[in-house]
Amino acid sequence: MPAKKTILLIVVLIMIVGGIFYLESKKVGGSGEVTSDIINSMDETEKAKKYPRAKEIDPDYGFINSDGITVEELIGKKVILLDIWTYSCINCQRTLPYITGWYEKYKDQGLEIIGVHTPEFEFEKDYENVLAATKQFGVTYPVVLDNDYKTWNAYGNRYWPRKYIIDIDGFVVYDHIGEGAYAETEKVIQELLKERKERLGEDILVSEDILTPSDAERVDRTKPRSPEVYFGAWRNNSLGNGATKTKGVQIFEEPEGIKTHIQYFEGEWDIKQEYAENVGVGKIIFRYQGGKVFMVASSVEGVSMKVLVDGEEVGARAGSDVDENGEVYIQNEQLYRLIEDPDGWGEHTLELIPQGPGLQAFTFTFG
C-alpha cells in the first residue's frame, strides 16, 4: 500500500477512535459501569466532570403521597430515583411492580423515589385521575404532577417511562429509557446505597439480592408488534380511509382492503385533537401484530363496545377488561385491556363496535 494511503488510513482510524471516546464521554452512566469501587474513588470534582447535576422538580401542580418534597433537601441524605411516567402508558404500568417493589425494599436503607407524572393527554392532568391511578398500582412514594412539562424539560426528556438515579452528592449517575434493565438498575441502586452508607457512617445492611416481582408483566420482544396508533388529529398518521391531521366530522366508508398497522373507521366520527368520537353507529378496524392489544379510551356517558377478532367473538383472546359477552364497558379515562391472547403472538384483524355513540378513542398499543 502506498505510504500516503497508509498515513491517511491511520489518521482516519485515529479520528474514528477519538470520536467514539468523545461520544462515550457524553453519555450519562447507564451501561452497568457504576460500581462501588468507581464511585467510592471519585470526589465531587471528579463526578462533576463525568455526570450532570440533578435538576429540581417543579411543584406547581401539587403532590400525591406528600405535602411537598424537593431534590435539594434530599441531596446529602438520600439516593434518589426519579421516575418519569404517565398513568395510561402501558410501558409505564409494566415498570411499576419493580419501582414500587424497590421502594418497599430500600426506603429504610436510604432510597427515596419521586414519581414525576408528566401527562401525555389532557385527562392525565386531572389530580383525581392520577390519585386513583396511584392507588390502583400501589404507588405509595411521593408523586409530583408535572402538567406543564417543566421537570420533563429540565431533564431534556423525550420518553415515557424514564428513570434517573441521583447519588448522595446530587449527580445523575444513571439514566435508563423505557422498560427493562431491571437487574442492572437495581444493582446501581445497591452500589449507591453502599456509598451513602459509608459516607454517612450508618450501621445498616444494604440488600444484595435482586427483586423479581411475581406480578410483573413479561413481554416477548423477539417478534414484531404493531406500533402505537393515535386516533386524534394530533397524530393520526396511520389513518387509512380518511383525512389525516384534520379535525371535524368525517363519514367513513367500509374499506375495500385491510392493511396491517393501518387504522380504519366505518360510520360517522368526530375527529378531535386527541381522540376520535363516534357520532352514531360506527366501527374501528385494525389488523395488528402481537399478543396483546391495549386501548386508551373514555366516554362521558359510558358505552359498551363489542370486540371481534377475525370476524368472530373475541372468546379466549379476551383481555381482562372484556366481559363474558365479548364486550368492554368504556367510561373512565384510562387504558383498557382488549386482547390478551393465551397463544401469544399472532396477526389478526380486530373490530371494535361501540353499542352507542360517545366512545372516545385515543390510542392503541400492543404487547
Side-chain angles (χ1 to χ4, degrees):
M1 180 182 293
K4 288 184 178 180
K5 288 186 177 181
T6 302
I7 294 171
L8 179 60
L9 179 59
I10 293 172
V11 171
V12 170
L13 288 173
I14 291 172
M15 292 176 64
I16 291 173
V17 173
I20 291 172
F21 276 107
Y22 175 79
L23 291 173
E24 288 296 316
S25 72
K26 295 299 182 183
K27 288 183 179 179
V28 176
S31 300
E33 77 277 16
V34 180
T35 66
S36 57
D37 290 340
I38 294 175
I39 289 294
N40 291 339
S41 66
M42 296 174 67
D43 60 25
E44 286 197 47
T45 301
E46 292 172 314
K47 288 182 179 180
K49 295 177 181 179
K50 184 175 179 63
Y51 303 112
R53 287 197 175 273
K55 309 296 192 302
E56 190 55 83
I57 58 175
D58 180 73
D60 287 354
Y61 289 89
F63 294 83
I64 293 170
N65 300 328
S66 174
D67 293 329
I69 192 170
T70 67
V71 169
E72 182 180 7
E73 73 186 57
L74 296 172
I75 292 173
K77 302 174 184 177
K78 300 281 189 177
V79 173
I80 310 164
L81 188 157
L82 291 184
D83 175 43
I84 297 183
W85 70 299
T86 189
Y87 80 81
S88 76
C89 163
I90 184 60
N91 308 90
C92 301
Q93 290 183 17
R94 285 194 290 245
T95 67
L96 289 176
Y98 293 91
I99 297 172
T100 57
W102 292 335
Y103 186 63
E104 290 304 314
K105 183 176 179 180
Y106 296 108
K107 65 181 180 180
D108 295 329
Q109 299 177 32
L111 177 68
E112 183 61 87
I113 296 179
I114 303 175
V116 179
H117 188 273
T118 310
E120 183 174 16
F121 301 109
E122 281 296 312
F123 67 77
E124 291 176 307
K125 294 180 178 181
D126 185 276
Y127 184 93
E128 294 301 323
N129 284 352
V130 183
L131 176 61
T134 60
K135 292 179 179 179
Q136 177 185 352
F137 298 118
V139 173
T140 58
Y141 48 80
V143 174
V144 60
L145 275 66
D146 186 33
N147 288 356
D148 281 346
Y149 280 56
K150 288 182 181 177
T151 303
W152 170 287
N153 289 330
Y155 280 84
N157 186 41
R158 295 173 54 198
Y159 306 95
W160 291 279
R162 190 162 188 173
K163 294 181 285 294
Y164 299 92
I165 303 183
I166 302 165
D167 74 354
I168 192 171
D169 294 316
F171 293 95
V172 180
V173 300
Y174 183 85
D175 169 7
H176 181 74
I177 295 169
E179 303 177 50
Y182 300 114
E184 172 186 294
T185 303
E186 186 170 5
K187 288 176 183 176
V188 172
I189 291 171
Q190 292 171 351
E191 297 303 333
L192 295 179
L193 289 176
K194 290 175 185 177
E195 181 200 22
R196 173 192 174 275
K197 169 188 173 180
E198 294 180 11
R199 183 73 59 80
L200 299 181
E202 291 187 350
D203 184 19
I204 60 173
L205 181 66
V206 176
S207 301
E208 295 187 346
D209 61 307
I210 298 299
L211 183 72
T212 54
S214 60
D215 57 342
E217 188 171 356
R218 304 298 190 265
V219 180
D220 183 358
R221 302 190 183 279
T222 64
K223 296 183 174 67
R225 289 178 294 165
S226 292
E228 187 169 13
V229 171
Y230 292 88
F231 291 98
W234 181 24
R235 289 180 284 183
N236 64 351
N237 299 313
S238 62
L239 178 59
N241 62 339
T244 62
K245 296 186 175 294
T246 303
K247 291 192 289 186
V249 174
Q250 296 185 49
I251 298 176
F252 297 87
E253 297 182 357
E254 180 179 355
E256 294 183 359
I258 303 296
K259 296 181 180 179
T260 306
H261 312 319
I262 301 297
Q263 60 171 293
Y264 302 93
F265 292 110
E266 287 184 28
E268 189 174 356
W269 291 78
D270 188 2
I271 311 300
K272 304 290 190 179
Q273 178 73 356
E274 291 189 347
Y275 61 87
E277 182 173 3
N278 66 308
V279 177
V281 177
K283 182 189 291 188
I284 298 171
I285 306 170
F286 192 85
R287 186 160 182 81
Y288 70 91
Q289 291 179 334
K292 299 180 181 182
V293 181
F294 313 97
M295 185 182 197
V296 177
S298 64
S299 176
V300 175
E301 300 296 331
V303 63
S304 289
M305 182 175 69
K306 193 75 173 176
V307 181
L308 302 178
V309 177
D310 298 331
E312 300 179 353
E313 289 192 5
V314 61
R317 293 190 177 97
S320 58
D321 290 314
V322 179
D323 65 21
E324 65 275 8
N325 298 316
E327 296 186 6
V328 54
Y329 185 73
I330 305 290
Q331 185 165 32
N332 293 338
E333 298 162 319
Q334 66 179 54
L335 180 141
Y336 293 86
R337 292 173 173 264
L338 304 183
I339 303 293
E340 294 177 287
D341 198 329
D343 295 329
W345 186 93
E347 182 169 329
H348 302 283
T349 298
L350 176 68
E351 295 177 78
L352 303 178
I353 308 171
Q355 303 300 289
L359 169 70
Q360 298 175 350
F362 289 81
T363 69
F364 277 147
T365 50
F366 304 88

